[in-house]
Amino acid sequence: KAGVTQTPRYLIKTRGQQVTLSCSPISGHRSVSWYQQTPGQGLQFLFEYFSETQRNKGNFPGRFSGRQFSNSRSEMNVSTLELGDSALYLCASSLGGFDTEAFFGQGTRLTVV
Amino acid sequence: GENVEQHPSTLSVQEGDSAVIKCTYSDSASNYFPWYKQELGKRPQLIIDIRSNVGEKKDQRIAVTLNKTAKHFSLHITETQPEDSAVYFCAASSRGYTGGFKTIFGAGTRLFVKA
């Protein structure tokens, strides 16, 4: 069974630009969560989608948004990029319950210059 | 807001010794506590989890304990091996008001096992 796939693996963007990251979950998984990982901060929860609906959101500004498609693939968008947005962005898919195992993708490393 | 504190941030042990990582959470609605291991350059992977109706769970050399009253849970690794060297994350998950869930992670513990 294929794992969680994130594209692209690496991105370099300029301040003020916007970026879109993609996540393809494991087949049959309907929940996709997004996290921002920075050194010393661990994984910070961005949002969770299930059946094309955002069910929960973390404490990030409105510049961070996402969506989920009918095939459960999800995208995350960051507008008006800031230097502090440089991080590894991870998505995780699961069957959808709060106590089901989450499987992570390899992440997209975003560098804002 | 919800918070998970994890200690220590760095832990160095001799091969064969035990390692203990402790976490404290703030959201009393948290009911699921997974632990993830992230090796250098790799994705986090679940190593063990515990639900709120259980006080302790063991899987070979790894065990987790949970004290819901104190909002405290710990990871215990016995007979450590060099391949246990990685960053370990604790997490606390709770249902959201919309039926979804939110998982809050600790900042991570970098474990070094010296051969």
Side-chain angles (χ1 to χ4, degrees):
Chain A
K1 179 154 90 165
V4 179
T5 304
Q6 289 188 247
T7 56
R9 291 291 311 279
Y10 303 93
L11 266 177
I12 299 177
K13 289 286 187 179
T14 305
R15 266 185 307 173
Q17 287 186 312
Q18 75 164 14
V19 66
T20 299
L21 283 53
S22 180
C23 174
S24 293
I26 290 172
S27 178
H29 285 190
R30 295 166 65 189
S31 171
V32 174
S33 297
W34 287 89
Y35 299 89
Q36 182 193 67
Q37 184 174 26
T38 53
Q41 292 292 318
L43 287 82
Q44 309 254 13
F45 174 76
L46 281 153
F47 25 67
E48 186 247 345
Y49 284 87
F50 182 89
S51 292
E52 302 178 67
T53 299
Q54 184 184 93
R55 298 197 297 184
N56 248 307
K57 192 177 189 309
N59 299 321
F60 277 80
R63 300 186 296 108
F64 291 81
S65 63
R67 58 178 176 169
Q68 187 180 35
F69 302 94
S70 58
N71 62 357
S72 294
R73 189 178 71 85
S74 178
E75 288 182 347
M76 191 192 91
N77 185 275
V78 187
S79 63
T80 320
L81 284 165
E82 300 177 359
L83 294 178
D85 296 333
S86 295
L88 179 67
Y89 290 88
L90 291 161
C91 76
S93 76
S94 72
L95 290 171
F98 80 103
D99 60 350
T100 56
E101 181 177 355
F103 294 83
F104 282 86
Q106 287 195 300
T108 294
R109 184 161 299 280
L110 172 65
T111 301
V112 182
V113 297
Chain B
E2 300 92 344
N3 184 49
V4 175
E5 291 190 2
Q6 183 171 348
H7 299 280
S9 57
T10 305
L11 179 59
S12 184
V13 299
Q14 204 67 38
E15 182 179 1
D17 287 350
S18 295
V20 180
I21 302 171
K22 300 182 179 182
C23 290
T24 304
Y25 62 97
S26 63
D27 185 359
S28 56
S30 297
N31 279 315
Y32 175 63
F33 306 90
W35 286 85
Y36 289 85
K37 175 183 180 182
Q38 187 176 30
E39 297 177 19
L40 191 62
K42 297 191 175 180
R43 68 192 79 191
Q45 291 193 297
L46 180 75
I47 55 171
I48 196 168
D49 57 15
I50 190 168
R51 290 167 177 76
S52 61
N53 57 347
V54 176
E56 185 174 353
K57 182 177 179 180
K58 190 173 180 181
D59 182 3
Q60 298 183 336
R61 298 186 296 108
I62 296 173
V64 291
T65 58
L66 171 65
N67 182 330
K68 278 220 79 176
T69 303
K71 297 182 187 174
H72 177 268
F73 58 116
S74 301
L75 176 73
H76 304 251
I77 306 174
T78 58
E79 300 170 26
T80 53
Q81 301 166 2
E83 51 265 38
D84 294 330
S85 296
V87 178
Y88 291 80
F89 293 97
C90 63
S93 184
S94 58
R95 295 180 198 275
Y97 63 94
T98 53
F101 63 89
K102 180 183 290 190
T103 302
I104 306 298
F105 283 78
T109 295
R110 186 172 296 277
L111 174 65
F112 296 96
V113 180
K114 295 175 285 187

